[in-house]
Every structure is written in structure tokens, then in C-alpha cells.
Amino acid sequence: MNILDKIVARKKEEVASAKAIKTIKDLERSLGFNRRTYALKDFLTDPSKSGIIAEFKRKSPSKGIINDKLSVEEVTKGYSAAGASALSVLTDHDFFMGKDDDLIAARAVNSIPILRKDFMVDEYQIIEAKALGADIILLIAACLTPEEILSFAKLAKSLGLSTLLEVHNREELDRSLNPYLDVIGVNNRNLKDFTVDIETSLSLAEIIPSEFLKISESAISNPETIKMLKKVGYNGFLIGENFMKTSNPGKAMADFVKEI
Ligand SMILES: O=C(O)c1ccccc1NCC(=O)[C@H](O)[C@H](O)COP(=O)(O)O
């Protein structure tokens, strides 16, 4: 079993347990559920922002512990101040050391869109994402059917959430597009074997239909890479480790933004 299959199998167990504790009705009654959301598209196209979706990431399957010392509040406030267009907060515990409370904490101190970075396998998680304070959900084409992507994106839209579809190759892109998606993300990391290659974003840029904004995800550590990605049409850049590996991710991001 590859790592993505393992994560998805574990996620299905977690969702079954969560449903037994909190029903969808409970989630819909929670304080966070009935709030206005921030649209990712508006922030990605705002020229006063950097285009960066900055990630709070303590640990990853490919790198192990990256940074488990800093609070989600201080890191995400630093990212917002450095001009992030959006924040990404991992809520997966077993593989990334994230938690739902990280998202709640980030929501309380930031006024830009927040992506619930997790592995969505059930509609329950989308309703939960809204209740926790997220504005964006991630749908990973490699672990969902086109029918699931359509119904999850439709549900997200009905809740006022933006959907980021993540693809890794042309085949995933071709089978997964639908009009309810807001942004297409190309992941430079192969989630099955962890190899990274910016060429993945460069080569897929021209086949992403122009009605979708495009973001490039993972393994970005050099301002020159952003310049190259902008040239081929990318509007956004999801960056985690490059900032999180420092003792002051907000400052690392501010310094990086000066160079792009
Ligand atoms: O990061 C991993 O090792 C990983 C492994 C398996 C599934 C997903 C994984 N990462 C999720 C991401 O998409 C990244 O956290 C995100 O794009 C930021 O990447 P980076 O800038 O390289 O930290």
C-alpha cells in the first residue's frame, strides 16, 4: 500500500468515529458554521497580496518533523502580515501532527481565506471544515472519483466554500474538471513516492482551462521558481516547508516576498 492509500484508509476510519460523536446536525448548529466566508479567487487576484498560500505544517510523511515548536497563532499571523493571499492549516493528526483546534485557532486571529488541508473522503468533512472556520477545501484527484469530486465541490459551493482541486498529471486533470471547482492546483510532489519536480507545474500550465485560476504546490523554495511559474500563468503558490523549517516562518516569508 502506498502512503496515500494508507492516509485515505485511516481517514475513512476517523470520519466514521467522528460521525458517531458529532452528527451533521451538531456541526450545522456550531458557532463557526454560520459565518461569512472569504473567497479564494478574490484574494488570489488581489494585487496587494503575494499570491502565496502559506502553510502551517509541523510534520510530513516525506520529511518527518519540520517544526513542532511554534504556535499556529504566531505563525499564521506572521504569514498574514507578510502578505499571504491565504493560509493552509493541516488538520490531519496521524501523518502531519495537525489538529482541528489548529484551524479554529488560526480562524480566530486571521481575516484571509483558510484552506482546511486534509484528505477529503466524505461529505461530513466538508461540513466540518465550515464549522471549524475554513473557507477552502482541498479535493485530491488521485484519491477521489470524478463523481465524488463533483458532489463534494457542489456541496462546498452551497456552503460558500471555495474548492481547490489538486492534480498531478494530465489524466487526473482531464477526468476531474467540473464547473463547481474554483482553483486548480498542480502538486509538484508525487504523493505516492514523494519525488518532487517543478516541471510538473510547468508542463501542465498550458492545458488547464483558462476559466480556472492556477496554483503550483509543494517544493517551492526559491523566488526564481515563482518568477518562472508566474510566466507560465500561475496565480498562486502553496508553500509550507520552506518557511516552517525556520525559527520565524512569518519573517522567512516576508524576506521571500521581497524577492518575487
Ligand atoms: O508533504 C508531504 O510529505 C506529503 C505526503 C503525502 C501527502 C501529502 C503531502 N503533503 C501535502 C502538501 O501538499 C504540502 O504540504 C504542500 O503542498 C506544501 O508543500 P511544501 O512547500 O513542500 O512543504
Side-chain angles (χ1 to χ4, degrees), residues 37 137 181 213 230:
T37 51
I137 57 147
L181 304 167
L213 294 180
K230 279 186 177 171

Side-chain angles (χ1 to χ4, degrees), residues 214-237:
K214 312 187 235 304
I215 71 160
S216 176
E217 306 172 13
S218 303
I220 301 173
S221 57
N222 186 337
E224 291 308 312
T225 306
I226 302 269
K227 288 179 194 160
M228 223 158 53
L229 290 165
K230 279 186 177 171
K231 267 195 198 141
V232 299
Y234 282 91
N235 313 88
F237 316 93

